[in-house]
Amino acid sequence: MWDYSDKVKEHFFNPKNAGAVVDANATGEVGSISCGDALRLTLKVDDNSEIILEAGFQTFGCGSAIASSSVLTEIIKGMTLDEALKVTNQDIADQLEGLPPEKMHCSVMGREALQAAIANYRGEEWKDDHEEGALICKCFAIDAVMIEEMVWANKLRTVEDVTNFTKAGGGCAACHEDIEAILEKVLAEKGEKFDPGAAPVSKPVEKIAAVKTPLTNLQRIKKIEQVLESLRSSLMADGGDVELVEVVGNTAYVNMTGACNGCQMAAMTIAGIQQRLMEVMGEFIKVVPASEMAKLVNIEVA
Amino acid sequence: MADIYLDNNATTKVDPAVVDVMIPYFLEQYGNPSSIHKFADGVARGLKQARQQVQALIGCEHDSEIIFTSCGTESNSTAILSAIKAQPDKKEIITTVVEHPAILNLCSYLEKEGYTIHRLPVDRAGRLKLDAYQRLLSDQVAIVSVMWANNETGTIFPVAEMAEMANAAGVMFHTDAVQAVGKIPMMLQDTKIDMLSLSGHKLHAPKGIGVLYLRRGTRYRPLLRGGHQERGRRAGTENSASIVGLGKACELALEFIEYENTKVKAMRDRLEQGITEQIPHCFVTGDMYNRLPNTTDIAFEYIEGESILMLLNKAGIAASSGSACTSGSLEPSHVMRAMDIPYTAAHGTIRFSFSRYNTMAEVDKVVEAMPGIVATLRKLSPYWSGDGPVANPEQAFAPTYS
Ligand SMILES: Cc1ncc(COP(=O)(O)O)c(C=O)c1O
Ligand code: FES
């Protein structure tokens, strides 16, 4: 069986807030019985303060789906809707002391149900843009849909390309056969043939000449912008974007938006951006989410 | 009460009598069976005896038709790859949609290499249609591979009849009998089955030992070439301790085969009846009238299998599930999909599989535990309300989701 953390087991065996909230004024429903996971989240929201007073869940799903739903209701109770919207699936997974990669989608389902419920409260329409495929790379929790999209968007041709753009295949390498199968399929759709010996598509950053001499702050900012620009296409293929907010010394503050914001890949994406920046700039660069800027800048200034 | 093990189709406890006969092959007779000294002089005899014990259980004509392998999967791969290597002009394979991945994934791989794979469908009770099969048999077919019994539902397939049909059309026939051997009587010499796979760990022998039965005269190409072991048909120093253990396990299985089909079957039937009588909205999957005596697979509607297993585990009961979540895929078991079991039930299937080590007292305990477990999860389910499913579950809960 799965190696579930004690926290997952705790929430599974003694779920909190199970059942529908009686006088709920917000409902979010995601998943479906055909994929074996479905969640209905009901909230009672205070109309003046927009504070979530009560939250209840009904879940059809496995142990981690039930645990994710339970922990989600605990996290959001007492939050305002705006605060709740900032809850990421990683927050849910963290509260559960981690989930196996195959089960990360359970936490994604929790976040989506929350978004759907808030949209329902506000009278907006919530559209799910998130499609899920079979899990290909267990080391980095990357599914077939994501790899296929990246292969299409960036004209990838080899396993190495896929690893450079998605990280899939960059760990134990056991998924390389499956990645080759995806390449074969997509390339065939494009009328090309998969050739394992093909020259790799250059990494986006390699188009930018590496810097040798020490940089002035203005040069540094320009260079960082340039690198981020080059990464944007792959981020956007994933439904996200990145914006440079401020540079203080060797620290770059960025805003991750769209699917990247809070997606399970956000932390990894930030690490990836930092890695590429350092490769190009030839100096240490720290990439920090802009949400942490205020306190950090104050310290710098002080 | 000690924990209850009802997952014997996944693997079994090694019989203590099997362990006893194995120990000397680790500590005393550990010589290489090919060597000429006293550390090895009993090994050849041990292997010979094991071959005869396997022969007796499956009822084949010669003990030299037994090839020891490392597992059921290896036996399956060897059989299919041998058939296509030996008959390079034949580019079709017939199998079923409900085979074990050990067959299905190999076939999908061969499909990419240019083979045509015919996967026979099953009906809602998991049964095959033999007229469709008859039409597919031709001189283009390299091999037919059909499991003797299905691992999830226990449904038994008419392999003897299908082997006759293949033989009449001049086509080789293999059966994956990993779940059937030791549970139902067989007499291979009275059939036209050319190859058969079995696996030790399903019949109280250790894991990592298997057999490929190869009818004398069947054209064959080894998977592993090298030393002269197994008459050159499977190279590699013999796993002597496990082979001897498997021999003993086969001897015991033969002794207990009547017990399996009476006492073990009675336990299975009582469990099945106890559960389906008490719990609404659950049903038995597969061919109820043509099943292994030790297996029942029950679908509990509107709840999910992994959650059931976790609560069972907490109650000290081990079983398994065809749910998507236990395997990490998004689809429920291919066997449930093949039988067109609705999604509302396919994700909530639980397989209970018995062995001669189980008792009626255990059955009663499981029958007592199940209703509470199912009720607990249904209380959480968005598809359930009060004491019945919500009206029109698929419509009532129609989320914005692909
Ligand atoms: C029908 C069937 N075939 C093959 C296998 C694989 O056997 P082994 O684990 O010995 O490779 C199994 C066991 O899971 C099985 O149930
Ligand atoms: S599974 Fe992809 S690198 Fe390990």
Side-chain angles (χ1 to χ4, degrees):
Chain A
M1 207 185 309
W2 305 105
D3 187 13
Y4 283 139
S5 70
D6 290 341
K7 256 284 175 346
V8 172
K9 289 186 202 150
E10 190 185 310
H11 277 276
F12 172 73
F13 289 123
N14 296 300
K16 306 270 170 39
N17 312 309
V21 173
V22 191
D23 41 0
N25 53 3
T27 303
E29 299 182 338
V30 293
S32 82
I33 204 156
S34 63
C35 39
D37 267 328
L39 164 59
R40 176 192 286 130
L41 182 68
T42 45
L43 308 176
K44 183 167 167 34
V45 182
D46 181 89
D47 284 326
N48 295 320
S49 60
E50 288 210 333
I51 284 177
I52 299 172
L53 303 173
E54 274 178 69
F57 76 89
Q58 289 161 284
T59 297
F60 168 86
C62 57
S64 56
I66 289 173
S68 296
S69 312
S70 166
V71 88
L72 169 71
T73 55
E74 284 290 281
I75 294 174
I76 59 175
K77 268 200 298 185
M79 282 185 168
T80 65
L81 294 186
D82 284 334
E83 283 165 352
L85 276 176
K86 294 205 190 96
V87 173
T88 66
N89 78 298
Q90 193 61 49
D91 294 335
I92 297 171
D94 288 349
Q95 279 289 317
L96 290 170
E97 290 165 4
L99 284 171
E102 289 87 346
K103 299 289 191 172
M104 280 305 281
H105 67 96
C106 294
S107 62
V108 173
M109 184 168 77
R111 185 181 61 113
E112 290 177 342
L114 176 62
Q115 291 172 338
I118 296 177
N120 169 261
Y121 176 82
R122 292 180 168 165
E124 296 160 3
E125 201 186 326
W126 182 76
K127 258 205 86 49
D128 168 47
D129 52 1
H130 156 110
E131 200 189 336
E132 212 177 320
L135 185 68
I136 300 291
C137 180
K138 295 190 175 167
C139 289
F140 294 103
I142 296 177
D143 68 28
V145 172
M146 158 107 144
I147 296 176
E148 267 178 48
E149 281 172 2
M150 290 299 252
V151 171
W152 271 107
N154 298 293
K155 304 189 173 60
L156 308 186
R157 287 203 303 260
T158 64
V159 174
E160 195 185 332
D161 291 340
V162 171
T163 304
N164 287 339
F165 279 76
T166 67
K167 285 191 181 277
C172 69
C175 56
H176 284 193
E177 185 182 352
D178 293 338
I179 296 177
E180 285 194 11
I182 293 178
L183 283 164
E184 261 167 38
K185 180 179 138 221
V186 176
L187 290 177
E189 282 165 13
K190 293 169 44 170
E192 291 171 41
K193 218 174 130 42
F194 170 64
D195 167 15
V201 174
S202 53
K203 286 196 212 178
V205 287
E206 282 167 3
K207 293 190 204 106
I208 306 161
V211 187
K212 294 271 151 21
T213 48
L215 297 167
T216 69
N217 214 33
L218 185 62
Q219 285 173 320
R220 182 175 295 124
I221 292 172
K222 280 189 176 161
K223 205 75 196 172
I224 292 176
E225 274 288 10
Q226 212 182 342
V227 173
L228 290 183
E229 194 54 44
S230 73
L231 289 172
R232 192 152 285 141
S233 68
S234 59
L235 287 172
M236 281 164 73
D238 199 16
D241 202 354
V242 59
E243 177 199 10
L244 184 64
V245 178
E246 174 68 293
V247 177
V248 180
N250 282 1
T251 305
Y253 294 94
V254 298
N255 253 336
M256 305 290 289
T257 54
C260 290
N261 176 29
C263 95
Q264 64 203 63
M265 301 290 294
M268 213 179 279
T269 310
I270 287 200
I273 293 173
Q274 174 165 322
Q275 182 64 30
R276 287 195 192 157
L277 281 171
M278 290 199 284
E279 281 169 19
V280 175
M281 324 263 305
E283 60 179 23
F284 178 78
I285 300 279
K286 189 168 157 62
V287 179
V288 179
S291 53
E292 291 172 32
M293 183 163 69
K295 50 182 194 268
L296 291 175
V297 171
N298 284 339
I299 293 167
E300 292 264 349
V301 171
Chain B
M1 186 187 275
D3 285 357
I4 300 173
Y5 187 74
L6 288 177
D7 201 11
N8 287 281
N9 283 13
T11 194
T12 58
K13 167 177 167 175
V14 179
D15 193 298
V18 169
V19 176
D20 286 346
V21 300
M22 291 176 68
I23 304 261
Y25 290 85
F26 291 113
L27 302 177
E28 293 150 29
Q29 285 287 304
Y30 53 80
N32 191 311
S34 310
S35 304
I36 313 229
H37 48 58
K38 68 174 183 192
F39 297 93
D41 58 6
V43 183
R45 221 175 314 125
L47 300 187
K48 171 97 181 150
Q49 190 191 5
R51 230 178 274 283
Q52 289 166 346
Q53 288 161 321
V54 179
Q55 179 193 6
L57 180 63
I58 63 176
C60 61
E61 202 171 348
H62 311 281
D63 66 357
S64 59
E65 293 173 323
I66 305 296
I67 302 173
F68 290 111
T69 66
S70 70
C71 59
T73 302
E74 184 191 324
S75 302
N76 284 342
S77 274
T78 306
I80 291 190
L81 295 172
S82 164
I84 64 176
K85 286 267 159 55
Q87 312 166 91
D89 296 335
K90 303 191 174 187
K91 297 291 186 195
E92 296 180 22
I93 295 172
I94 301 177
T95 184
T96 78
V97 286
V98 293
E99 295 301 307
H100 188 271
I103 294 289
L104 284 183
N105 286 340
L106 175 63
C107 286
S108 304
Y109 176 73
L110 292 173
E111 199 164 34
K112 281 200 236 158
E113 307 262 283
Y115 282 84
T116 301
I117 312 293
H118 304 287
R119 299 175 182 82
L120 299 170
V122 296
D123 65 14
R124 282 161 183 266
R127 293 171 300 210
L128 295 169
K129 288 207 179 54
L130 294 194
D131 46 344
Y133 167 59
Q134 180 70 61
R135 284 195 294 275
L136 288 170
L137 288 168
S138 77
D139 59 2
Q140 291 306 300
V141 178
I143 187 166
V144 178
S145 179
V146 174
M147 66 198 332
W148 198 311
N150 182 267
N151 44 310
E152 288 187 34
T153 61
T155 302
I156 295 172
F157 294 113
V159 284
E161 192 181 345
M162 295 177 84
E164 293 285 347
M165 292 161 73
N167 186 263
V171 178
M172 264 188 214
F173 191 91
H174 164 257
T175 181
D176 174 350
V178 165
Q179 292 294 346
V181 173
K183 294 177 190 151
I184 48 178
M186 46 186 71
M187 188 54 67
L188 284 184
Q189 54 188 299
D190 296 342
T191 74
K192 294 285 193 309
I193 293 168
D194 297 301
M195 293 187 266
L196 170 146
S197 304
L198 69 90
S199 178
H201 71 95
K202 310 281 187 188
L203 53 137
H204 306 287
K207 295 157 187 61
I209 184 72
V211 162
L212 176 66
Y213 156 78
L214 178 69
R215 174 182 298 280
R216 183 172 288 182
T218 305
R219 296 183 62 214
Y220 179 75
R221 299 289 179 270
L223 181 66
L224 300 185
R225 291 173 192 271
H228 57 86
Q229 294 90 351
E230 302 299 292
R231 300 168 191 258
R233 296 171 302 179
R234 201 283 188 182
T237 299
E238 297 87 341
N239 183 354
S240 35
S242 292
I243 290 173
V244 168
L246 175 59
K248 182 70 189 173
C250 286
E251 181 191 313
L252 291 169
L254 194 54
E255 250 168 57
F256 278 98
I257 202 119
E258 199 191 318
Y259 185 89
E260 184 88 15
N261 286 278
T262 51
K263 298 283 172 34
V264 172
K265 180 171 181 295
M267 289 190 264
R268 188 273 312 268
D269 289 345
R270 174 133 136 206
L271 177 85
E272 193 169 276
Q273 216 184 355
I275 288 178
T276 50
E277 275 174 11
Q278 284 188 84
I279 301 177
H281 294 279
C282 73
F283 58 89
V284 175
T285 75
D287 185 356
M288 280 193 71
Y289 305 102
N290 201 9
R291 264 189 307 172
L292 293 176
N294 79 320
T295 310
T296 177
D297 187 71
I298 305 179
F300 298 93
E301 292 184 272
Y302 310 110
I303 52 178
E304 199 276 334
E306 188 199 288
S307 298
I308 304 174
L309 290 183
M310 287 175 73
L311 291 176
L312 277 171
N313 188 45
K314 200 171 169 225
I317 300 163
S320 60
S321 166
S323 117
C325 280
T326 49
S327 63
S329 75
L330 299 172
E331 277 281 307
S333 116
H334 66 285
V335 179
M336 297 304 136
R337 293 305 300 138
M339 295 190 296
D340 213 16
I341 302 286
Y343 280 115
T344 46
H347 286 286
T349 52
I350 299 292
R351 176 187 69 191
F352 300 97
S353 47
F354 289 78
S355 78
R356 57 179 184 256
Y357 288 111
N358 293 114
T359 63
M360 275 295 180
E362 291 179 333
V363 171
D364 293 340
K365 188 164 169 220
V366 180
V367 170
E368 203 183 299
M370 270 319 283
I373 290 174
V374 172
T376 303
L377 291 171
R378 282 185 175 160
K379 222 181 280 163
L380 297 181
S381 170
Y383 298 101
W384 193 265
S385 124
D387 42 47
V390 295
N392 259 335
E394 294 277 17
Q395 279 82 40
F397 184 74
T400 34
Y401 201 62
S402 52

